[in-house]
Amino acid sequence: MSQHYDKLESMTVSERKIYLDSRLRQAVSRAYRGAPAARRMMKAAGVKPSDITTVSDLEKLPITRKNDLIEAQKVTPPYGGYYVGKPEGIERIFISPGPVYEPLHSSKIEWFARSFWAAGFRKGDVVINTFTYHLSPAGTLFQEGLRDCRATVVVAGAGNTDIHIKAMKDLGVNGFVGTPSYLMSLIKKVEETGSNFKKDFRIDKAWVTGEMLSPSMRQTLEKDYRIDTYQTYAVTEPGGTLAYECSQKSGLHLMDDYVVEIVDPSTGKQLAPGEVGEVVVTPLHNPHWGLIRFGTGDLSKMIVDNCPCGRTAPKLVGLLGRSGEAVKVRGMFVVPKQVEAALAAVNEAGKFQLVVRRIDNRDTLTLRLELKSGNTDDFELRKRVESAFQSACIVKLDRLELLPQGTIPSESKVVLDERKWD
């Protein structure tokens, strides 16, 4: 059986350049013709499609960020001028936090298949997919990628830990798809019941994304529980996996369905391999989504090497932090602007601060909220704030601190990410 999903993974440097430049020209031309938002952006920059002939030419265009996408969809609903095609051709509409509406024509969405194939998922594997199928595209996209590798999918979704554990045992599940912290939570819960995870369960491979996989957690999963663990870097708005690990686990190979740049976030200028910058993405695989130069806010650096696995695409070293204020918590981005909009409906709400910590291999999120009313012990108000926050951001708060006005120093950051990654 082939080690590689397709021939694209072993293209030469020159072949990959020709391939990406050609597809980029098509994507830019298509977006200019069919996506009003892309056309306006290019005209404002004084750039014509013919000016973008290679990946390096993308520096001529500004970076579009998530807040830009959210605002565009508010001003020009429902797709913000980024959709290319006729509305009646849309087969699925995904809703990402923001919200951001993402239309899709094709019923075949195998975009994640290369990453699952590299992680060893094949026909005969029974894989539990613990990512949400509710609103977010994650569950469905991952399922389709697994099915393209002919693996059997247990459609579990998020939550329901007890049911997940029972299904894993009853169905002989040997593959896990989810966040690394949730996999650890499942293991610990099994052990709390007195069961032996290695003996009583068959999980021997895991595909994880949505949060950083620390070296210590990987060692625990692989050495203590013999779970072959692969991490993938995925971003919702461009629509898929941007980079994925192979058996060498020495970086994440870039996917050839995207143009990925590492840029200086303040200037948009492309950086050389080895330099740390923001990951900026132009999707090539969805002809109906005219998004160009989407800034993820994630920091990484690119490396070029001769990988023993035979895949020739450059690699990302992993995520090194965030360039902006948005923060990823348990696989979901929380954007301060979303929080601000949610709290606008709560009359008593004043200044706020988000604090992210890492406790027992799990992200925790605290909202520190000053109150105009001064009453910090109001049960009904707590419920309203928690409900408004979760409705807007999807992620559930772990803690809500109601504070008197003036408690949060004026110079404080809106987001405090206190997580430590070893």
Side-chain angles (χ1 to χ4, degrees):
M1 186 174 290
S2 174
Q3 179 186 5
H4 297 163
Y5 178 78
D6 58 23
K7 294 180 179 179
L8 294 179
E9 292 185 303
S10 55
M11 288 189 289
T12 65
V13 172
S14 60
E15 287 172 338
R16 178 164 285 107
K17 175 174 171 50
I18 292 170
Y19 177 81
L20 290 178
D21 286 346
S22 174
R23 291 193 69 186
L24 175 63
R25 289 192 291 271
Q26 294 172 20
V28 169
S29 178
R30 186 170 56 234
Y32 187 88
R33 294 194 312 269
R39 184 163 57 250
R40 286 193 298 271
M41 176 269 291
M42 293 182 69
K43 285 185 174 181
V47 175
K48 304 184 295 295
S50 58
D51 295 327
I52 308 296
T53 60
T54 68
V55 170
S56 61
D57 290 328
L58 283 171
E59 286 187 336
K60 300 173 184 176
L61 298 174
I63 294 172
T64 298
R65 305 194 180 278
K66 178 152 186 165
N67 281 341
D68 299 327
L69 204 51
I70 293 171
E71 290 303 313
Q73 293 198 348
K74 287 180 181 177
V75 173
T76 312
Y79 306 119
Y82 289 96
Y83 174 64
V84 179
K86 297 181 179 180
E88 58 268 27
I90 298 172
E91 294 183 13
R92 314 183 197 201
I93 300 171
F94 292 126
I95 306 175
S96 299
V100 173
Y101 300 116
E102 300 165 38
L104 185 69
H105 268 240
S106 173
S107 59
K108 182 174 173 57
I109 46 177
E110 76 285 5
W111 310 327
F112 286 83
R114 283 193 194 92
S115 63
F116 287 117
W117 190 267
F121 289 92
R122 302 288 190 274
K123 183 178 180 179
D125 288 325
V126 180
V127 186
I128 188 166
N129 182 10
T130 66
F131 277 100
T132 181
Y133 284 77
H134 176 65
L135 296 180
S136 167
T140 300
L141 289 175
F142 299 162
Q143 174 180 305
E144 295 298 315
L146 285 164
R147 285 301 303 137
D148 207 64
C149 295
R150 303 186 71 186
T152 298
V153 183
V154 179
V155 184
N160 300 311
T161 300
D162 291 336
I163 295 175
H164 289 173
I165 291 172
K166 179 173 173 52
M168 285 161 56
K169 190 167 186 178
D170 291 348
L171 300 173
V173 168
N174 72 304
F176 171 88
V177 168
T179 64
S181 59
Y182 186 59
L183 177 54
M184 283 300 305
S185 295
L186 288 173
I187 293 171
K188 295 305 180 186
K189 185 146 189 177
V190 167
E191 292 179 335
E192 286 170 6
T193 67
S195 295
N196 184 312
F197 188 84
K198 284 192 293 186
K199 179 180 177 182
D200 299 334
F201 290 80
R202 293 183 55 204
I203 299 288
D204 61 8
K205 61 172 70 80
W207 182 100
V208 299
T209 191
E211 62 189 29
M212 293 184 185
L213 173 64
S214 68
S216 60
M217 185 183 290
R218 164 167 267 168
Q219 183 170 351
T220 297
L221 291 170
E222 297 195 336
K223 302 297 184 184
D224 296 351
Y225 296 100
R226 298 174 192 157
I227 300 173
D228 197 14
T229 307
Y230 292 79
Q231 58 182 329
T232 295
Y233 174 41
V235 178
T236 302
E237 291 76 20
T241 295
L242 305 186
Y244 57 98
E245 282 187 321
C246 65
S247 58
Q248 300 301 308
K249 302 179 185 178
S250 58
L252 293 84
H253 289 281
L254 294 177
M255 187 81 78
D256 290 311
D257 290 321
Y258 308 85
V259 167
V260 176
E261 307 167 76
I262 302 296
V263 309
D264 181 328
S266 61
T267 66
K269 294 297 182 182
Q270 295 169 359
L271 300 175
E275 294 186 73
V276 175
E278 181 180 5
V279 180
V280 172
V281 187
T282 299
L284 307 175
H285 62 305
N286 185 354
H288 303 284
W289 195 227
L291 191 61
I292 300 171
R293 285 205 107 193
F294 179 79
T296 65
D298 291 324
L299 296 175
S300 187
K301 63 181 178 180
M302 197 177 296
I303 54 176
V304 179
D305 63 4
N306 294 316
C307 189
C309 80
R311 292 175 179 83
T312 54
K315 300 174 184 175
L316 296 181
V317 298
L319 300 187
L320 305 176
R322 295 285 297 163
S323 64
E325 286 280 69
V327 65
K328 185 175 278 189
V329 180
R330 299 194 293 274
M332 290 288 185
F333 278 120
V334 178
V335 184
K337 194 161 189 175
Q338 291 175 262
V339 181
E340 183 179 327
L343 296 179
V346 180
N347 293 331
E348 299 90 337
K351 186 175 181 178
F352 70 91
Q353 184 180 55
L354 297 169
V355 183
V356 187
R357 298 186 176 96
R358 188 84 170 168
I359 300 174
D360 294 331
N361 292 316
R362 180 181 180 275
D363 291 339
T364 65
L365 179 61
T366 298
L367 173 63
R368 307 182 72 230
L369 177 64
E370 292 184 359
L371 296 183
K372 299 173 185 175
S373 63
N375 183 5
T376 60
D377 189 22
D378 187 326
F379 179 81
E380 187 274 335
L381 175 58
R382 284 180 177 276
K383 291 298 180 185
R384 279 194 288 131
V385 171
E386 289 170 349
S387 176
F389 185 97
Q390 188 169 358
S391 177
C393 303
I394 299 181
V395 176
K396 185 177 180 179
L397 286 171
D398 294 281
R399 179 175 177 153
L400 171 61
E401 296 178 6
L402 299 181
L403 309 167
Q405 271 191 314
T407 302
I408 302 173
S410 58
E411 69 275 11
S412 295
K413 293 182 179 180
V414 177
V415 176
L416 282 180
D417 191 344
E418 298 181 348
R419 292 173 292 187
K420 304 295 183 185
W421 306 98
D422 53 21

